[in-house]
Amino acid sequence: VGQGNLVIGLDVNSNNKKAKFITSVYNAILGGGANSKLFQNVREKESLAYTAGSTYRRQKNVIFIRCGIEIANYKKALETIKGQLEQIKNGEFSEQDITNAKQLIMESIQGIEAEQDSEITYYYGQELSDTFTSLENYIENIHSVTKQEVEELAKGISINTIYFLRD
């Protein structure tokens, strides 16, 4: 077996009252879908990963980057991922990246009401975080996120863990 799983934990450090919405957009840009920096650069451009993406865990205020890579590609993949984090910190992403991220989030939000399990999970998460944001309000907050807010939030994101599972 020559494959391994690379997981990188990121702390989100922000005092912005809209941080959870900004972080959602940041995460979508970083690794939320096929248009994301991780997918496009680590997987497609550099061919370093079979899978590459990230997940935002709002209750813990962390992001997990996960990549399935060849063991031999570990150093190059890690460097490339760190490079993507730096690019976002430096504002090296476009308004189209913001638009794509918001669209991805909107599609996800619109699917919540379509399935009872998703709706229950959403509102249960609201209870756990001791906040309540209606789906309509969530959508409004996502729409209002700006490139400058994402760039500012990115400056407060730091790596807390690098874990590589291999044979």
Side-chain angles (χ1 to χ4, degrees), residues 1-6 48-50 67-74 164-167:
V1 175
Q3 297 177 15
N5 290 307
L6 175 60
L48 294 170
Y50 301 104
C67 296
I69 63 172
E70 292 284 339
I71 292 170
N73 291 338
Y74 171 76
F164 187 48
L165 176 64
R166 57 185 214 156
D167 63 341

Side-chain angles (χ1 to χ4, degrees), residues 19 29 41 53 65 75 126 150:
I29 293 168
N41 294 294
I65 296 171
K75 285 185 180 181
Q126 297 293 303
V150 173

Side-chain angles (χ1 to χ4, degrees), residues 17-42:
K17 64 181 181 174
K18 287 177 42 181
K20 70 180 179 180
F21 307 108
I22 301 166
T23 307
S24 292
V25 174
Y26 171 92
N27 180 65
I29 293 168
L30 176 65
N35 289 322
S36 70
K37 288 192 158 289
L38 293 176
F39 190 90
Q40 288 298 313
N41 294 294
V42 179

Side-chain angles (χ1 to χ4, degrees), residues 38-73:
L38 293 176
F39 190 90
Q40 288 298 313
N41 294 294
V42 179
R43 185 178 186 275
E44 295 295 309
K45 183 178 175 187
E46 298 292 333
S47 299
L48 294 170
Y50 301 104
T51 61
S54 62
T55 306
Y56 173 41
R57 296 289 179 222
R58 192 176 28 162
Q59 291 81 6
K60 296 287 185 184
N61 215 25
V62 295
I63 294 173
F64 293 107
I65 296 171
R66 73 226 173 287
C67 296
I69 63 172
E70 292 284 339
I71 292 170
N73 291 338

Side-chain angles (χ1 to χ4, degrees), residues 76-92:
K76 177 116 171 111
L78 186 58
E79 287 173 16
T80 304
I81 292 165
K82 286 180 176 180
Q84 300 312 301
L85 295 171
E86 284 302 310
Q87 283 183 8
I88 298 174
K89 280 183 185 177
N90 296 331
E92 297 173 32

